[in-house]
Amino acid sequence: MDLDDRFDALNRSETPDQWFDIATRTPGRNVPETMPKPLRYAGVAALSLLVVAGIVLPLKVLVPLGDHDKPLGPAGTADQSGSPVGVPDVGVITCDKGTPGVETPSVQAHVDGVHLLIPSDDRRMEVRLHPLLEIPGFDPGSDDQVWSEDNAVDPNAWVVNLPPGDYLAICDPDSSVTSHEVMSGKALSAPLTIVDPQGFYAPFADLACPDPEAFYTGVPFPELNPLENADAVLRRALVGIQAADEIVRAGYGIDSTARGWQLLSWQVVRGDRRMVATVTAHSAADETGETLSFEYQACSGSGIGSAANDPGVAHGVGNPDAPLATPYEVPGYTRCDPYDGATCVPVWVTWARLGTLSDQPEVQKGLPDGSGNLPWCPSDSPRGCTFDPDLQPMILFMPAADAERWFQAEGCGRSYDAICSGVSGKPADEA
Amino acid sequence: MSVASGIEGLYRDDGPRLWRALFAYTGDPEVASDTLAEVFAQALNHGGSIESPQRWIWRSAFRIAAGEMKRRRTPVPTTALLMGATASYEMEEPAIELVAALARLPRSQRVAVVLHHAAGYPVGEIAAILGTSRATVKVHLHRGRRRLAELLGEDNGS
C-alpha cells in the first residue's frame, strides 16, 4: 500500500454531522438545526462538547527571569532602564475602511512580546503583520494575526511574539491576501518597526538540519516541582538531551502572569554550537487536569526525541512504557509511575505536608526559611520569594493499596477538597 | 441567496472534507469536530462581511485547530490511541496509521500534506490559504511525503 492508497482510505472515512452544533453556536441567526441533506451522525463528537473542563491547579512554575523580570513601562515614556524617549510601548494599527495605517511608526517590545492596539472600526478586519526580511527560526502565521474587534479595548489583548524588525501591517477582511501580494505591493500595507532596546527578545537560530522530526511530550502540572527551572524541566521531559547540551531560551521571555509558560521557546545547542532542537512550551488543560506540553523539532541523529521503545513518541500520558516517574517519594509508601494510568491513585497534599514527610533535597528546598522567603531567593530579588507551602497543592501518585492505607492513616488526601495540609493533616481550609 | 444558505451549501460541500483534513492535522476527532463547528459558526456570525468564504473557512479552521491543540492536553497520537478515539467512526486502519504518522511531521509539512492529499487542494491554492509562497509549499510537500513514507515503511508514490 502506498501513501495515495492511505489517503484514499482516509477520504472514505465517516465524518460526523456538526450542523446542530453550528446552529447552537449562532443564536439569533435563525440557522435551522438540521440540514436539508443530513450527513451520518456519529454522535461522539457532539457529546464531547458536553464535557466540561476540570480543575486547573494554580501551580506557579518558577523559571529564571534574569533581564526579563522588568516592569512594563507606560506608553510613550522613558523608563529607568534606558528605553528611548518617544517610542511608545503599545503600537496602534488602524483599518479605516480597510486601508491600513499606523499611528505609531515604531513600537518597543515588552518583556512578553509586542503589545498592539487596533481601534474599533465599523468593519471586522483581520490584521496581520508581514516581516520585510526572513527571520530565522520564526514561523509566520503562528502569532501574527488578530481580528480587529477582539483587540479594540485592551492593549494587552494582542501580544505578539514578533521579533524586532520592520513589518508591513495589512487589513484583510476575509483572510485572502497572500504574503506575495503584500511584499509585491499589490495589497495595501503600512510599515511598522518593532524595536527592542532592552533586549527582551532572544533570537532563534536555524536548526542545523533542513529536515527535522516533530515530537510531543508533556508533564502534568501536579508533577512539576515549582522550584525546578525550565532547564531542569526540559531535561526531565525530553528524551535524548545530553548532559553537555545547552538549553537556550528563544523569543520573548516570561512575564509575571500565569500565562508565562505559553510564551516560552527554547533551543538545544550541542557542544559544537549546532542547534539540534527547538522546543515550544505551553500549558494545556482538559477534563483530567492541566499539563505543561512541549512541542519540539529535533534533527535526526541528535538522539533527541528518540525513545527506544517508540521513536517519535518520547513519553507522555497514555504511553505506559515510557520511563518518566513522578519525582516525589514519601517513606513508607510506594511511588507509582503516573504513566501507568489506572493503577495509580492520586493523593493530594500541600507542599508543607510533603515537606514534613520527605527529606528529598528538592522538597526541602521548597520550604521557606525564617524570613518567609525561599532559601535560594537571590538577595537582590525585587519582589522577594515569599512562599506559603500550605497553599501549594501537590499530588503523590501511589498504587491503590498504598493510597488507601494513606487515606486511612492520615484521614485526608482523597481529593483537592480534602487535601492534607502541613499543619494537622486536615484539609487546609479547616486547619 | 442568503448568507446562511451560502454557508450551509459550503458546509454540505466542504464539511466532510474539512473534517477529515482537520482530523488528519490534529489527530483528534474531538478537536476536528469542535473546530468544524466553530469555524462555520464564526462564518455565519460574520454575516456577509467575508468576501471569499471558502478560503476564509479553510484558513481559519487550521488556525482554530492549532489554538485548540494548544489549549488541550496534546495526546500522543499513536495508532493504538487513535484506534480507540475513532472507535465509533467507520475508519480503515491504513488511514489511522497514516494520521499517526502525520502527527510526527513538523506542523508546516503536516498542514501542506493534509491540504494537498486529504483536502485535494492544488499547490497554488494551498499557498493562498497559508499565506505563503508556492515554492515553500512544494518544499514542505516533498519533505513531508518523504518523511511519511519513511515512517510508514513504504513507497511515497512520487
Side-chain angles (χ1 to χ4, degrees):
Chain A
M1 174 173 282
D2 65 17
L3 280 181
D4 291 331
D5 292 333
R6 290 185 185 274
F7 278 106
D8 287 344
L10 176 66
N11 290 330
R12 288 192 296 269
S13 301
E14 181 186 40
T15 62
D17 184 3
Q18 294 297 116
W19 189 258
F20 177 81
D21 191 14
I22 294 168
T24 61
R25 295 178 189 219
T26 51
R29 293 206 169 267
N30 297 320
V31 176
E33 293 183 352
T34 57
M35 292 286 291
K37 289 169 58 181
L39 303 172
R40 292 183 66 184
Y41 175 57
V44 171
L47 286 174
S48 72
L49 298 172
L50 300 175
V51 175
V52 180
I55 53 172
V56 176
L57 297 178
L59 292 185
K60 181 180 179 183
V61 179
L62 302 178
V63 301
L65 299 178
D67 291 337
H68 301 87
D69 188 18
K70 295 177 180 176
L72 306 180
T77 61
D79 65 21
Q80 295 177 345
S81 57
S83 295
V85 175
V87 178
D89 63 0
V90 176
V92 180
I93 300 172
T94 59
C95 289
D96 184 16
K97 294 182 173 57
T99 301
V102 293
E103 294 183 2
T104 54
S106 294
V107 57
Q108 61 175 306
H110 287 256
V111 63
D112 60 342
V114 181
H115 292 215
L116 297 171
L117 172 65
I118 305 163
S120 62
D121 187 271
D122 291 339
R123 195 172 181 197
R124 186 177 165 86
M125 288 282 169
E126 182 186 351
V127 179
R128 292 200 306 278
L129 292 171
H130 291 254
L132 280 177
L133 298 173
E134 185 176 350
I135 300 169
F138 177 69
D139 180 19
S142 60
D143 194 12
D144 56 357
Q145 168 262 2
V146 69
W147 284 96
S148 57
E149 67 188 30
D150 297 336
N151 185 243
V153 178
D154 180 2
N156 294 314
W158 192 21
V159 180
V160 296
N161 289 311
L162 295 173
D166 296 320
Y167 293 83
L168 295 175
I170 69 162
C171 302
D172 187 358
D174 64 349
S175 303
S176 62
V177 178
T178 67
S179 57
H180 175 73
E181 290 169 331
V182 176
M183 303 307 284
S184 64
K186 292 179 180 174
L188 291 175
S189 62
L192 176 73
T193 299
I194 295 173
V195 298
D196 181 27
Q198 299 181 77
F200 290 136
Y201 185 83
F204 285 84
D206 284 328
L207 278 168
C209 54
D211 198 5
E213 298 178 55
F215 300 90
Y216 305 89
T217 188
V219 180
F221 266 58
E223 290 176 52
L224 284 171
N225 181 337
L227 296 178
E228 281 185 309
N229 59 28
D231 185 282
V233 172
L234 286 168
R235 289 182 187 279
R236 191 156 62 86
L238 272 57
V239 170
I241 289 185
Q242 298 177 3
D245 286 347
E246 189 179 349
I247 298 177
V248 181
R249 189 183 61 76
Y252 288 98
I254 193 171
D255 64 12
S256 58
T257 68
R259 62 191 292 262
W261 269 107
Q262 300 173 32
L263 302 173
L264 293 183
S265 296
W266 305 88
Q267 302 170 118
V268 180
V269 184
R270 280 276 146 89
D272 54 5
R273 309 310 300 171
R274 287 184 309 142
M275 198 69 62
V276 293
T278 60
V279 189
T280 302
H282 57 267
S283 62
D286 66 6
E287 65 274 13
T288 64
E290 190 168 14
T291 296
L292 180 63
S293 295
F294 299 106
E295 177 178 346
Y296 54 110
Q297 298 187 31
C299 291
S300 298
S302 67
I304 295 176
S306 297
N309 57 329
D310 189 358
V313 183
H315 45 219
V317 173
N319 182 11
D321 298 326
L324 182 63
T326 181
Y328 307 115
E329 295 183 71
V330 175
Y333 293 92
T334 305
R335 185 177 65 179
C336 184
D337 185 339
Y339 298 103
D340 208 11
T343 62
C344 290
V345 173
V347 176
W348 291 81
V349 298
T350 67
W351 190 284
R353 181 68 173 167
L354 183 66
T356 66
L357 297 170
S358 173
D359 57 0
Q360 284 180 280
E362 60 267 33
V363 172
Q364 293 302 316
K365 278 170 62 181
L367 298 174
D369 58 21
S371 68
N373 278 326
L374 292 167
W376 48 264
C377 188
S379 58
D380 58 351
S381 172
R383 291 196 299 261
C385 304
T386 58
F387 178 62
D388 183 346
D390 232 8
L391 297 179
Q392 185 72 62
M394 307 297 296
I395 287 181
L396 300 170
F397 288 100
M398 299 181 188
D402 284 63
E404 190 58 38
R405 189 159 53 84
W406 170 289
F407 298 143
Q408 295 298 325
E410 304 293 334
C412 57
R414 285 188 186 275
S415 66
Y416 177 73
D417 291 336
I419 194 169
C420 298
S421 78
V423 179
S424 65
K426 294 179 181 177
D429 56 357
E430 297 176 12
Chain B
M1 184 173 62
S2 70
V3 171
S5 64
I7 298 297
E8 278 180 24
L10 196 54
Y11 175 81
R12 191 180 302 121
D13 294 340
D14 278 26
R17 202 161 49 105
L18 179 55
W19 187 91
R20 291 187 191 103
L22 289 168
F23 171 60
Y25 175 63
T26 63
D28 187 330
E30 291 187 9
V31 172
S33 297
D34 207 19
T35 301
L36 185 72
E38 181 62 26
V39 73
F40 275 93
Q42 286 191 17
L44 285 163
N45 283 328
H46 289 166
S49 65
I50 303 174
E51 293 173 11
S52 304
Q54 186 185 40
R55 187 178 289 178
W56 183 92
I57 281 171
W58 278 85
R59 177 178 179 140
S60 300
F62 281 85
R63 286 190 190 279
I64 293 170
E68 273 300 297
M69 291 167 73
K70 271 190 175 182
R71 274 188 289 276
R72 302 180 183 213
R73 171 184 296 175
T74 306
V76 183
T78 60
T79 300
L81 286 177
L82 285 170
M83 288 284 192
T86 58
S88 60
Y89 297 81
E90 289 180 10
M91 198 166 290
E92 298 169 35
E93 188 169 344
I96 293 173
E97 292 169 348
L98 171 67
V99 174
L102 279 166
R104 302 188 193 179
L105 299 185
R107 192 181 314 193
S108 52
Q109 292 177 17
R110 193 185 334 145
V111 69
V113 169
V114 164
L115 283 171
H116 188 63
H117 293 285
Y121 278 113
V123 170
E125 188 64 19
I126 295 172
I129 289 173
L130 299 180
T132 186
S133 69
R134 292 168 60 96
T136 300
V137 172
K138 284 182 177 178
V139 169
H140 289 327
L141 271 176
H142 174 73
R143 290 177 174 170
R145 283 186 67 98
R146 190 179 61 190
R147 180 65 184 140
L148 268 183
E150 290 171 2
L151 289 167
L152 293 165
E154 57 198 32
D155 182 7
N156 74 11
S158 64

